[in-house]
Amino acid sequence: MDLRELEAFLAVAEELHFGRAGARLYVSQSRVSQLLRSLERRIGGRLVERTSRRVQLTPLGQQLFPELRTAYDGLRAALDAACASARGVRGVLRIGFQGSADERSLAAVTAFRERHPDCTVELVEIPFADPFGPVRRQEVDAALVLLPVAEDDLVLGPVFPGRRQVLVLPAGHRLAARESVTVGDLAEYPLIGIADSAPDYWRAVHAPRHTPDGRAIPAGPAVCTTQEAIAAVAGGRGALLLCDTTAEYHRRPDVSFVPVHGIAESRVGLIRHRDRDGERVQAFAHTLGEVIGAPAPALRAVM
């Protein structure tokens, strides 16, 4: 049986949305549908009912989901343990990141590897629209995500120094020729939104709907990933707010980056789950804090 078929079913069962399931697996919605149909043929029954309004599990899907979730987690743990034994290391540390892993993050990973050669570090890109889900689902051990973070079950810190925000525009847009724009200029062009996987308070910061003086900002399409957002900008469907380092990482000829004045700097911090704040994660947080010059929080404390 194809492991990707099982992963597609688990993602759909948890998200109840084919678009978000595809974003989690970094594949298209059609690929998720294809994998799910293949699994249903193998099993001999429908697992998911999909209409234009909703996605729900069939009784057979409801029966399979919890058993498969447990089995899949066990398989993943067994493979991690085997990899650790084969490499002669104590474990694997998965660190998620949104948008791009900048030079500060990579410097921290390098320093951590030098200090802890018995631990393997894997960097995993996580969806722009789902900053907290991968940690909660144990897809990563910790993640570097955009602030704000106001989640009771997550520990935040250390936090990176702020970075300037830029407005990503189609290359031919009239605002793209300016040296800078103001936050008030956001009311003149649709702003790319963020899919509702992220909390409302988080989306309100990264895709605001009003300027500070109360003017409405037109809403563009909602996206799940940074690549989707930039592609939407290039297609003339709206503008996008990004920090300058992430924007530079995704530079392409059909979009322009213009600094924005009057808006708060973009900040990134390390998050991990309060109940799974183990030694590897604590050690990485400590190393990261030293590299960026910001202290890590005490064990199981919230900043």
Side-chain angles (χ1 to χ4, degrees), residues 187-274:
E188 299 185 21
Y189 195 60
L191 197 63
I192 301 298
I194 303 169
D196 58 8
S197 304
D200 289 345
Y201 74 84
W202 191 91
R203 287 185 286 130
V205 171
H206 299 289
R209 289 294 166 241
H210 294 86
T211 63
D213 60 3
R215 286 182 293 162
I217 299 174
V223 300
C224 292
T225 69
T226 307
Q227 290 284 7
E228 286 180 14
I230 293 177
V233 173
R237 303 181 67 193
L240 175 69
L241 284 172
L242 282 181
C243 76
D244 54 5
T245 53
T246 299
E248 189 62 35
Y249 179 82
H250 291 281
R251 180 173 289 279
R252 45 191 281 180
D254 49 2
V255 298
S256 297
F257 307 139
V258 184
V260 183
H261 293 302
I263 195 169
E265 290 184 316
S266 176
R267 304 193 77 191
V268 170
L270 183 74
I271 61 168
R272 61 263 204 201
H273 200 281
R274 181 177 297 280

Side-chain angles (χ1 to χ4, degrees), residues 159-170:
V159 174
F160 286 65
R163 298 300 294 254
R164 180 180 63 179
Q165 293 207 67
V166 301
L167 190 64
V168 187
L169 290 159

Side-chain angles (χ1 to χ4, degrees), residues 149-164:
V149 178
E151 308 296 308
D152 291 340
D153 60 334
L154 301 179
V155 177
L156 169 65
V159 174
F160 286 65
R163 298 300 294 254
R164 180 180 63 179

Side-chain angles (χ1 to χ4, degrees), residues 7 97 186 204 236 239 276:
E7 292 173 336
F97 65 91
L186 299 181
R276 296 189 296 273

Side-chain angles (χ1 to χ4, degrees), residues 27-75:
V27 299
S28 65
Q29 292 187 45
S30 60
R31 179 56 177 160
V32 173
S33 298
Q34 181 185 35
L35 290 166
L36 188 57
R37 287 195 301 270
S38 178
L39 178 62
E40 289 175 333
R41 285 195 297 270
R42 291 178 189 275
I43 291 175
R46 295 291 300 278
L47 299 172
V48 175
E49 294 289 351
R50 180 184 187 184
T51 68
S52 59
R53 293 181 175 271
R54 62 185 300 187
V55 175
Q56 62 182 2
L57 298 180
T58 66
L60 182 60
Q62 293 173 358
Q63 173 190 334
L64 176 63
F65 171 58
E67 297 177 356
L68 182 58
R69 177 79 269 174
T70 300
Y72 179 83
D73 289 344
L75 175 62

